[in-house]
Each structure stands twice: as structure tokens, then as C-alpha cells.
Amino acid sequence: MTELLHVSGGPTKPEIIAVSLSKLDLADGCRFFDIGCGTGAVSIEASKMVRDISICAIDAREEAISVTKKNFEAFKINNAQVFSGESSDILEKQEVGSIDCAFIGGTKNISRVLEVLAEKKAKSIVLNAVRIETVVNVINKMKELDLFEEALHIIVSRSAPITGETMFKPENPIYIVVGKSGKN
Ligand SMILES: C[S@@+](CC[C@H](N)C(=O)[O-])C[C@H]1O[C@@H](n2cnc3c(N)ncnc32)[C@H](O)[C@@H]1O
């Protein structure tokens, strides 16, 4: 089995990826943006769910870009562009084209990122956050941009062995914020 290379902050846990992608309205041939791609794990899972997806993965850290490129090669992700830099700057560029679905895993400069996604008329946006301050900021900004749909708080506990029996260990809670264009 192909092993995913890791980088600090990633990969996003599979259960969180599953819920996040279920909220994104992925469709065959869609243009998917992985903003703060880290390892590229979310893009890899998205590519298993629909046909002919076109992926644009962005991260500000060179280390993450290098790991994403290696993971895309190992998992045979062919229809992908990988951009290094601040996502709000990259999203503004003409050559990135239209945006159907955007997953946001990194929330630096999030207000500007959301403004650019709204300007580009991204149809569906799903954001992961761990800090409540980020969540409040994102909900308020999405409401201002007429994008806000819902926010979820997800806690996963995973089985772990204990003296030959099984206990559950909680993982860090994650907030998922969902935005859709054309709310009204
Ligand atoms: C929690 S990690 C993402 C993990 C990723 N979803 C995965 O599965 O590996 C957040 C990433 O977002 C990047 N990031 C945060 N804000 C960013 C921004 N405004 N532009 C580009 N990258 C950003 C960080 O460099 C970091 O690699």
C-alpha cells in the first residue's frame, strides 16, 4: 500500500476529511482548490470521490509543497497544479481560473482568502479550524459575504488497546465551517 508522507500540521484525520468533503458538493469535472494543502491528503481523497477532478493545491510552506508534490506522484494524481505562496495572492491570479469547490485547511489571512473566494464566485467552501476565535471570525466574514451555511463541531474518539482490552482516546476537536455562494 502507498504510504502518505507527513508534514507538521498534516495530514488531516480521515474522519474529518470524510465529513469535510461530504459538505463540498464535489462533482465530476469540478475545479477543486486545496488551500493550505499541507500533505495534499484532502486532494488525494477528493480525487477518489469524483471523476476528472481538476486540483489546485496551495501552501505557503516550501516543506509542505515538496511533500504534496511527492504524495501526488506516489498516489498518481495527474490533473493537479501545486502553487507555493500566500493563497490569497495566488487565488487572485488570472491563471488559476474558476473555482467550484474550495477546502481551506490553513487559516492565515482568512478574511482576505474568503473575500477572494467570494469575488471568484466559488460555489462551495469548507474550512477546518481548531481555534474558536478563528471560527467566530470566519462565521462573521462568511455572513458579511453572504456565504455562511453552517458550522459543525466534531469530536472523534479512537479505540486504543489497554491491558488486552479496548478504551477510547479522544482526538482534538475540530470545527468545520461551510459556505455556499448564492445564499439569497
Ligand atoms: C493544518 S495544515 C493543513 C493540513 C492538510 N489539510 C493535510 O491534510 O495535510 C495547514 C497548512 O496551511 C498552510 N497555510 C495556512 N495559511 C495559509 C495561507 N494563507 N496561504 C497558504 N498556505 C497557508 C500552512 O502552511 C499549513 O501547511
Side-chain angles (χ1 to χ4, degrees):
M1 210 177 90
T2 310
E3 291 284 333
L4 187 84
L5 292 178
H6 290 199
V7 72
S8 63
T12 300
K13 295 281 187 291
E15 297 79 10
I16 302 301
I17 296 181
V19 176
S20 297
L21 292 181
S22 78
K23 300 284 177 184
L24 251 187
D25 301 335
L26 293 170
D28 291 348
C30 69
R31 293 185 44 75
F32 171 77
F33 283 65
D34 189 352
I35 298 170
C37 59
T39 59
V42 178
S43 293
I44 292 167
E45 290 309 308
S47 75
K48 294 176 188 168
M49 293 177 68
V50 290
R51 278 178 291 199
D52 301 325
I53 189 171
S54 154
I55 293 168
C56 179
I58 306 169
D59 206 291
R61 284 189 298 162
E62 271 309 325
E63 188 194 358
I65 291 297
S66 159
V67 166
T68 292
K69 284 182 177 168
K70 286 180 188 155
N71 281 331
F72 281 0
E73 202 179 328
F75 284 84
K76 301 191 179 1
I77 305 298
N78 300 319
N79 201 7
Q81 288 177 289
V82 182
F83 292 97
S84 172
E86 163 55 41
S87 54
S88 51
D89 295 340
I90 290 164
L91 291 168
E92 274 181 324
K93 291 186 198 303
Q94 198 76 34
E95 59 265 29
V96 302
S98 62
I99 302 170
D100 294 321
C101 306
F103 172 81
I104 307 176
T107 55
K108 205 170 155 219
N109 298 325
I110 190 60
S111 292
R112 185 63 200 139
V113 171
L114 290 171
E115 282 168 5
V116 180
L117 289 173
E119 281 160 23
K120 289 256 178 173
K121 301 198 185 327
K123 295 185 189 110
S124 180
I125 301 166
V126 170
L127 175 143
N128 285 180
V130 291
R131 291 175 234 183
I132 54 170
E133 291 83 356
T134 307
V135 176
V136 172
N137 182 19
V138 167
I139 290 173
N140 287 338
K141 191 70 194 178
M142 281 190 176
K143 283 183 176 169
E144 181 191 314
L145 296 167
D146 205 13
L147 293 171
F148 179 68
E149 176 143 304
E150 63 174 343
L152 309 167
H153 182 227
I154 311 258
I155 304 175
V156 172
S157 295
R158 196 175 301 283
S159 61
I162 178 167
T163 59
E165 298 191 322
T166 306
M167 66 175 289
F168 279 84
K169 286 192 174 172
E171 301 201 345
N172 291 339
I174 302 285
Y175 296 91
I176 298 177
V177 189
V178 182
K180 308 273 172 178
S181 69
K183 292 293 301 162
N184 292 312

